[in-house]
Amino acid sequence: MKNSYNLTLLIITAIFVYMVFYGFPDSPAPWFDEGINLGIAKSLVTRGVFSLEIAPNEFIKERSLLITTNYPLLLWIALSFKIFGIGLWQAKVVMFIFLFIFAYLFYSLCAKYYGARNSLMSLALLVTFLPLYGNGKSALGEIPGLTYFLGGLLFLESERPWRVFAAGLLLGFGAATKSLYLLLAASVMAGEIWFTWQNLPASETDKKINYKRWFLLASGIAIPLLIWFYTLLPSNFTFDYLVRTLQLYRNPYNAEGTILVNFLRFFKESTPIHFALLLVAFFLSKIFIKPRKWLRLEIILTVFVVLDFIFYLKTAGWYRYFFPAHVLLFVLFPPALGSIAQGFGAYAWVKRNAQMIVVAALTATQIVVLVVNTQASLYYDRTPRQFAEDVNQAVPPGTGILVVDIPEISFLLNREDIWYYLRANPHITFGADLLSTRQFPAYIISGPWESNYYLTNYSPIRSEYGIKIDNGKYILYEKKKPNTKI
């Protein structure tokens, strides 16, 4: 039995290592949000400014309207840039380290609460889950935030003061990594209240509440969040600025009428259906168990999953908004199956084998999806890096390039003569509107002119530019006549 366990663990580990390093460094290719994060880390290293450079020595001042992935990840990427130089692979290495630490903590947490058998099944589901690599290998906050979160949860059960404080610090760093993870604070609070209530006797209530533990935990969480708040605070802070920031965090794309549309996705689309099956299985396993029998871990994870689900319903509908909850359900799903199987007391075969069969079938399905999609452009694409290399060769330094809405290319160009016009979402734009002031750059990089939200406002100018490089996704436009320098 031990040999088969070790062999299975070795196979799972091999799959994980292969998928992490597959297509390096172009799997997945950098994209919009990642380009912003990489640009901020680059500005910190080259200019000493924690913001995005939108023109030479000009930076975005309204950082809270731009920065959604913060210093618990970006400082590590900046450190990698400082040591190894600025580039895509240097950022990917940081994400690989986070992925390995995350997988180890995930496995350890499952083993601690549910035993070796369940932890192996949870790990198999995690490692064969394609979005783990799409989100986890990009310079985004999802996996780093969860890494801090799991580290905090592993310390949380201890009553030793330093461990409780360390748990708070790690949970605070997780919450500060990404604005979505502010929900972690509410989840941990719910778990602590539940656990305290669970252990209270009928009398002497006040004597049983461990206020020292709550103070240490809250203090640990507060420190990273205060740093987080400081990184986003502008010099000219106003109440209107605060309102805009809160509106952005509440609904990043200011989408309306999305709740029903997004809810129906959980009945019609494969990834949301996969999520729903995991969640339903867990709730079914708890139907016949008294609430006081829930573990503190289960309360924390359930509250976060539900809050993340509610948040997703109000968004533009991208799956990565419920990706953190999706991943955490892998912790709960195999034990839930085991509990459901135990309910079939009269069917010994079902009790012994149902859990393993269901997990094996789901893992096999995920492997098929993994194999089929690894070559898709969403998960492997050399286009951005190749285009940037071509532009660097074609455009002399100091010429002047306006980049419209493609921050990943601006980062890959790694040059100082770049101007941005950036729409962070349909309601927030950054950068000077150069074309309206008749300052025509020698080069413009965007998608097709006719379909670009900004360039379509200047259709008459299109005739003054020819196409220098066109790879379909990105286009370098060159001014035909002598240009007016920016």
Side-chain angles (χ1 to χ4, degrees), residues 12 135 153 306 319 336 348:
I12 292 172
N135 293 299
L153 292 179
V306 171
Y319 296 162

Side-chain angles (χ1 to χ4, degrees), residues 187-312:
S187 305
V188 173
M189 184 185 302
E192 287 297 305
I193 292 173
W194 183 280
F195 185 76
T196 300
W197 170 74
Q198 185 181 23
N199 289 279
L200 285 178
S203 60
E204 299 183 357
T205 297
D206 292 338
K207 296 181 181 180
K208 294 295 181 179
I209 297 178
N210 191 341
Y211 293 108
K212 180 180 179 181
R213 173 186 171 85
W214 284 16
F215 174 77
L216 289 171
L217 186 62
S219 299
I221 293 175
I223 292 172
L225 288 180
L226 288 173
I227 298 172
W228 168 80
F229 183 75
Y230 175 77
T231 65
L232 300 179
L233 193 66
S235 57
N236 55 339
F237 181 80
T238 63
F239 180 74
D240 179 66
Y241 179 82
L242 176 62
V243 171
R244 292 180 65 195
T245 300
L246 293 176
Q247 289 176 340
L248 176 68
Y249 288 173
R250 181 179 60 85
N251 191 345
Y253 282 79
N254 199 21
E256 297 180 358
T258 63
I259 293 179
L260 179 60
V261 173
N262 288 334
F263 180 75
L264 292 177
R265 295 180 192 275
F266 292 88
F267 301 91
K268 300 190 296 184
E269 300 175 14
S270 59
T271 300
I273 288 173
H274 183 276
F275 171 92
L277 291 175
L278 300 179
L279 184 59
V280 168
F282 172 71
F283 281 133
L284 285 177
S285 73
K286 294 298 182 183
I287 285 179
F288 302 107
I289 299 177
K290 293 181 180 180
R292 285 180 177 267
K293 297 297 183 180
W294 285 48
L295 301 174
R296 173 162 43 191
L297 172 74
E298 293 172 341
I299 295 298
I300 293 172
L301 296 188
T302 301
V303 171
F304 177 76
V305 167
V306 171
L307 291 177
D308 191 13
F309 172 75
I310 294 172
F311 172 79
Y312 167 77

Side-chain angles (χ1 to χ4, degrees), residues 18-92:
Y18 173 80
M19 286 304 304
V20 168
F21 287 97
Y22 166 79
F24 177 79
D26 300 304
S27 174
W31 58 290
F32 187 91
D33 284 13
E34 185 178 11
I36 291 176
N37 295 337
L38 295 177
I40 294 168
K42 175 184 174 182
S43 294
L44 182 60
V45 172
T46 59
R47 307 294 191 184
V49 179
F50 190 69
S51 187
L52 186 66
E53 190 172 17
I54 53 174
N57 293 313
E58 293 184 20
F59 304 87
I60 293 175
K61 296 179 180 179
E62 297 176 316
R63 288 174 295 193
S64 68
L65 303 180
L66 173 78
I67 301 175
T68 55
T69 295
N70 212 299
Y71 73 92
L73 169 61
L74 299 185
L75 287 185
W76 291 114
I77 294 176
L79 178 62
S80 180
F81 287 169
K82 189 72 173 179
I83 296 173
F84 303 111
I86 296 171
L88 185 58
W89 72 263
Q90 293 89 332
K92 295 290 186 182

Side-chain angles (χ1 to χ4, degrees), residues 336-357:
L337 283 180
S339 297
I340 294 172
Q342 293 305 308
F344 293 86
Y347 304 93
W349 185 91
V350 174
K351 290 177 63 176
R352 289 195 307 269
N353 302 296
Q355 180 193 32
M356 182 65 73
I357 291 173

Side-chain angles (χ1 to χ4, degrees), residues 377-389:
S377 60
L378 186 63
Y379 291 96
Y380 177 75
D381 187 6
R382 295 185 67 250
T383 301
R385 195 159 56 92
Q386 184 61 57
F387 178 80
E389 291 174 0

Side-chain angles (χ1 to χ4, degrees), residues 19 56 59-60 82 104 142 170 177 299 302 341 362 385 404 430 442 453:
M19 286 304 304
F59 304 87
I60 293 175
K82 189 72 173 179
Y104 173 77
E142 280 79 3
L170 289 169
T177 302
I299 295 298
T302 301
L362 185 55
R385 195 159 56 92
V404 181
F430 301 101
Y453 75 96

